[in-house]
Amino acid sequence: MATAVLTLAAALARAPIPVADTIIARGRIYTGNSQQPWAEAVAIRAGKIIAVGDESAVFKLRYAGTEVIEAGGHLILPGFVDCHIHFLDGSLSLGRVNLEGAKDASDIQQRLRDYVAKHPGKDWILGRGWNYAMFGPEALPHKKYLDEVFPDRPVFLEGYDGHTYWANSKALALAGITNETPDPANGAIVRDPKTHEATGALKESAQELVARVVPRPSRNEKLAALRAGIKWANEHGLTRVHSAGGDFEQLDLYDQLRREGQQTLRFYIAYFLNPPNLRPQDLDTIESARKKYRDDWIDTNAVKMMVDGVVESHTAAMLEPYSDDPSTKGKLFWDPAKYTAAVAELDKRGLQLFTHAIGDYGVRTALDAYQRAEEVNQTRDRRPRIEHIETITATDIPRFGQLGVIASMQPLHSYPDADTLEVWARNAGPDRASRAWAWKSISNDGGHLAFGSDWPVVTLNPWEGVQTAVTRQTAEGKPDAGFVPEQRLTVEETVRGYTLGAAYAGRREKTEGSIEPGKLADLIIVSQNIFEIDAQRLAETKVLTTIVGGRVVYQAPAK
Ligand SMILES: [Zn+2]
């Protein structure tokens, strides 16, 4: 194997004492490196990969103290990256009510009763994960379902997408929301059309009216949640996450975990910039953070912005009216001129941009601003990103490749359950739905894909996302032909979106994303060969071992 010999020769030349701390062998290694896609063994030294090749070559780096990890014939992959996550929120959600997968309002009530049986008292009941389809054709929650069970204990439940919240009467009262309370900018208090009374559904920024009266978790509660979240991520094969909001404010907590040797997950954390303007104090905060946090473990060289909302609640910005409600096209959260100016200024400083854009007008606005920034600043290869891209006009698809804009998408968001097929697709209408989550088209036209979860919007388990990207079907195999099946990806293309594509999307493909000499030793051993099994079984993949920086950070219990 000529490549292995060359790889070894290179390792020998570089390392004065060519010995490995760790060798991983007896597995099938999918490297992600197109020059050498498969290998038998990997040698690691000081947290980095020093050789990849056949066993006889790699074992020449073995000495008395080398630890040999036997993979038992299992598949070894580069560590997975989640390119869009809200890590503290997700970590906190692990200890709260989980409504994911509930069938209807009475199922939700039952789950709340079960939770309360274990958490009695008068404290706030917090949770998340309901979806619009659980409430039938109305597609919005109502306080009455909560008031029946909790007449005097406050309940505040986040929708699965984080864009709409659900409060009971007690929570609305504590927040001081009355018939006269005005809607905040970029938000709506949903009201009964006859009585004008708040129904308990709070769209976008209206949720802040309640959120501000919910007691905040203490520093120690947050640290405990983060430790649990990091463990949870490692168990599912994640070695790095890209935070898209809610974590920049917690940088000192991440720093504390690092100092205490508990950071076993790498973090790329974006500053969250709110409209209406980029202010001098935003720049000060961004600049001082990136001086302090700019290494392989905590990096803050990114800024997240949101130009619109979501399709389900008609807050995503569309070029044409919504199909189910022709009176609205949604609207941009930013004035386009101010957004474009902010993008240009941040790009000039070398910051990477993440823009949340879901409606086709939102996506176009972001592409236009990125194109403008490159022209004005004469910059190249900045790799600005658009997050989500649930709808797109056909003429904008090739612009990702042309402009070098990264398509950061979340496969599980396209999961074709009732919420997607009955609410999302109804609102978007058939024409826009024919280009729903169009990752294959974007990729065919030269765009780079990066995948993530948006946890806690959906589970951070990437294997469910892998299956959805490949099948575009539910776990039960519905719809039979797949949801917009021409957008299906191969397993290899999907894995790339979570590994080398993800590293590229974080400007780290030179040091991460594939199993190659010189890169960080972030890799995983998994329970089944995902390249050979039936696509409907991809989500069953279990992680056996997770290695970050050459250290085993998760080991599945022996059977
Ligand atoms: Zn998000």
Side-chain angles (χ1 to χ4, degrees):
M1 198 172 178
T3 41
V5 173
L6 280 176
T7 306
L8 179 58
L12 287 166
R14 216 168 307 155
I17 313 162
V19 292
D21 303 334
T22 308
I23 288 175
I24 305 169
R26 309 278 184 264
R28 299 189 59 194
I29 302 169
Y30 175 75
T31 66
N33 169 10
S34 58
Q35 307 296 309
Q36 182 195 16
W38 292 94
E40 292 175 356
V42 190
I44 297 168
R45 180 183 166 81
K48 289 190 176 164
I49 295 164
I50 56 168
V52 181
D54 51 36
E55 290 196 348
S56 60
V58 171
F59 271 95
K60 289 187 180 136
L61 301 175
R62 184 182 186 175
Y63 74 113
T66 300
E67 184 198 359
V68 177
I69 296 175
E70 302 229 352
H74 289 294
L75 179 68
I76 300 167
L77 296 166
F80 268 41
V81 179
D82 190 318
C83 288
H84 189 114
I85 208 159
H86 304 278
F87 202 79
L88 177 65
D89 290 344
S91 299
L92 288 168
S93 78
L94 292 175
R96 293 177 178 169
V97 182
N98 181 3
L99 302 175
E100 267 169 45
K103 286 191 290 294
D104 51 26
S106 70
D107 193 9
I108 290 172
Q109 288 176 326
Q110 190 51 50
R111 291 193 191 199
L112 288 165
R113 286 192 193 98
D114 293 345
Y115 176 85
V116 164
K118 290 182 210 121
H119 302 83
K122 287 274 161 218
D123 290 349
W124 282 74
I125 296 166
L126 303 173
R128 68 175 329 286
W130 57 266
N131 72 44
Y132 303 92
M134 290 174 193
F135 303 99
E138 251 178 281
L140 272 178
H142 198 285
K143 63 184 178 183
K144 66 187 177 194
Y145 302 115
L146 301 175
D147 291 349
E148 280 173 29
V149 190
F150 306 104
D152 48 29
R153 189 170 173 182
V155 185
F156 190 43
L157 303 168
E158 184 181 3
Y160 82 101
D161 62 4
H163 287 263
T164 308
Y165 280 65
W166 179 21
N168 69 345
S169 293
K170 182 71 180 176
L172 292 170
L174 289 171
I177 294 175
T178 66
N179 290 11
E180 283 73 48
T181 309
D183 280 349
N186 295 323
I189 302 167
V190 180
R191 295 170 187 286
D192 185 294
K194 291 197 192 78
T195 64
H196 215 57
E197 195 180 313
T199 64
L202 300 162
K203 292 186 181 181
E204 303 296 340
S205 71
Q207 62 88 12
E208 288 162 19
L209 299 170
V210 177
R212 69 183 177 213
V213 299
V214 175
R216 297 261 170 265
S218 69
R219 183 179 177 93
N220 280 337
E221 283 167 345
K222 287 188 205 167
L223 283 167
L226 291 176
R227 288 186 194 102
I230 289 172
K231 192 164 166 263
W232 187 246
N234 288 156
E235 277 181 39
H236 288 90
L238 299 180
T239 57
R240 175 182 284 284
V241 295
H242 296 182
S243 166
D247 294 302
F248 188 95
E249 300 75 10
Q250 316 298 336
L251 279 167
D252 65 319
L253 299 183
Y254 291 104
D255 199 32
Q256 179 176 335
L257 292 174
R258 165 159 66 178
R259 287 196 309 273
E260 292 172 358
Q262 294 167 350
Q263 200 197 341
T264 59
L265 182 66
R266 302 181 193 277
F267 287 88
Y268 184 30
I269 296 179
Y271 177 78
F272 195 95
L273 179 63
N274 279 305
N277 268 312
L278 172 64
R279 305 161 305 169
Q281 59 264 46
D282 295 312
L283 289 169
D284 290 348
T285 309
I286 293 166
E287 293 295 355
S288 65
R290 73 166 165 168
K291 273 192 204 92
K292 199 166 167 195
Y293 302 109
R294 191 83 198 266
D295 60 29
D296 291 335
W297 289 99
I298 308 179
D299 183 349
T300 59
N301 196 43
V303 177
K304 160 95 181 282
M305 301 161 86
M306 280 178 68
V307 293
D308 68 354
V310 294
V311 172
E312 287 86 342
S313 66
H314 306 100
T315 50
M318 298 291 194
L319 291 160
E320 300 298 332
Y322 277 89
S323 292
D324 66 314
D325 181 358
S327 74
T328 183
K329 297 180 182 179
K331 71 176 172 51
L332 295 174
F333 292 172
W334 280 78
D335 169 66
K338 287 177 179 163
Y339 164 73
T340 303
V343 163
E345 176 61 33
L346 294 164
D347 172 77
K348 192 171 81 186
R349 291 166 182 258
L351 287 145
Q352 192 180 20
L353 288 144
F354 300 2
T355 297
H356 164 123
I358 283 185
D360 51 14
Y361 180 43
V363 172
R364 176 168 295 175
T365 302
L367 288 167
D368 288 349
Y370 291 161
Q371 181 169 6
R372 179 91 189 122
E374 191 181 276
E375 287 162 8
V376 174
N377 297 332
Q378 292 291 306
T379 45
R380 305 283 307 154
D381 199 28
R382 290 292 211 213
R383 306 182 198 171
R385 297 167 38 160
I386 302 183
E387 309 293 315
H388 309 309
I389 320 164
E390 294 187 3
T391 62
I392 187 168
T393 43
T395 49
D396 282 337
I397 289 174
R399 296 178 72 197
F400 282 82
Q402 288 157 7
L403 299 169
V405 173
I406 309 280
S408 171
M409 303 176 79
Q410 299 74 38
L412 261 189
H413 287 189
S414 75
Y415 188 77
D417 58 6
D419 196 69
T420 301
L421 297 184
E422 287 160 28
V423 182
W424 189 98
R426 175 198 67 196
N427 294 5
D431 176 54
R432 282 180 289 229
S434 73
R435 291 177 304 279
W437 290 275
W439 38 64
K440 183 75 171 184
S441 301
I442 291 172
S443 171
N444 284 348
D445 282 350
H448 285 268
L449 301 179
F451 288 144
S453 66
D454 210 359
W455 189 53
V457 173
V458 296
T459 173
L460 60 58
N461 178 358
W463 309 100
E464 294 188 27
V466 169
Q467 180 167 319
T468 307
V470 172
T471 65
R472 307 269 302 200
Q473 287 173 317
T474 64
E476 294 75 38
K478 297 290 171 198
D480 293 335
F483 172 53
V484 201
E486 56 274 27
Q487 298 300 337
R488 283 176 173 155
L489 297 173
T490 65
V491 173
E492 197 161 0
E493 288 167 330
T494 308
V495 166
R496 189 182 163 87
Y498 284 102
T499 56
L500 195 54
Y504 183 87
R507 299 169 168 176
R508 292 188 166 270
E509 77 284 3
K510 292 197 173 70
T511 52
E512 295 175 33
S514 58
I515 302 177
E516 289 182 63
K519 290 198 175 183
L520 297 175
D522 296 352
L523 35 93
I524 56 177
I525 306 173
V526 297
S527 61
Q528 52 181 359
N529 188 335
I530 58 174
F531 299 103
E532 289 176 357
I533 59 165
D534 180 50
Q536 278 294 341
R537 299 190 49 208
L538 286 164
E540 295 166 18
T541 306
K542 295 277 177 287
V543 173
L544 303 176
T545 306
T546 302
I547 295 171
V548 182
R551 175 179 156 205
V552 174
V553 299
Y554 171 70
Q555 179 75 59
K559 276 216 198 91

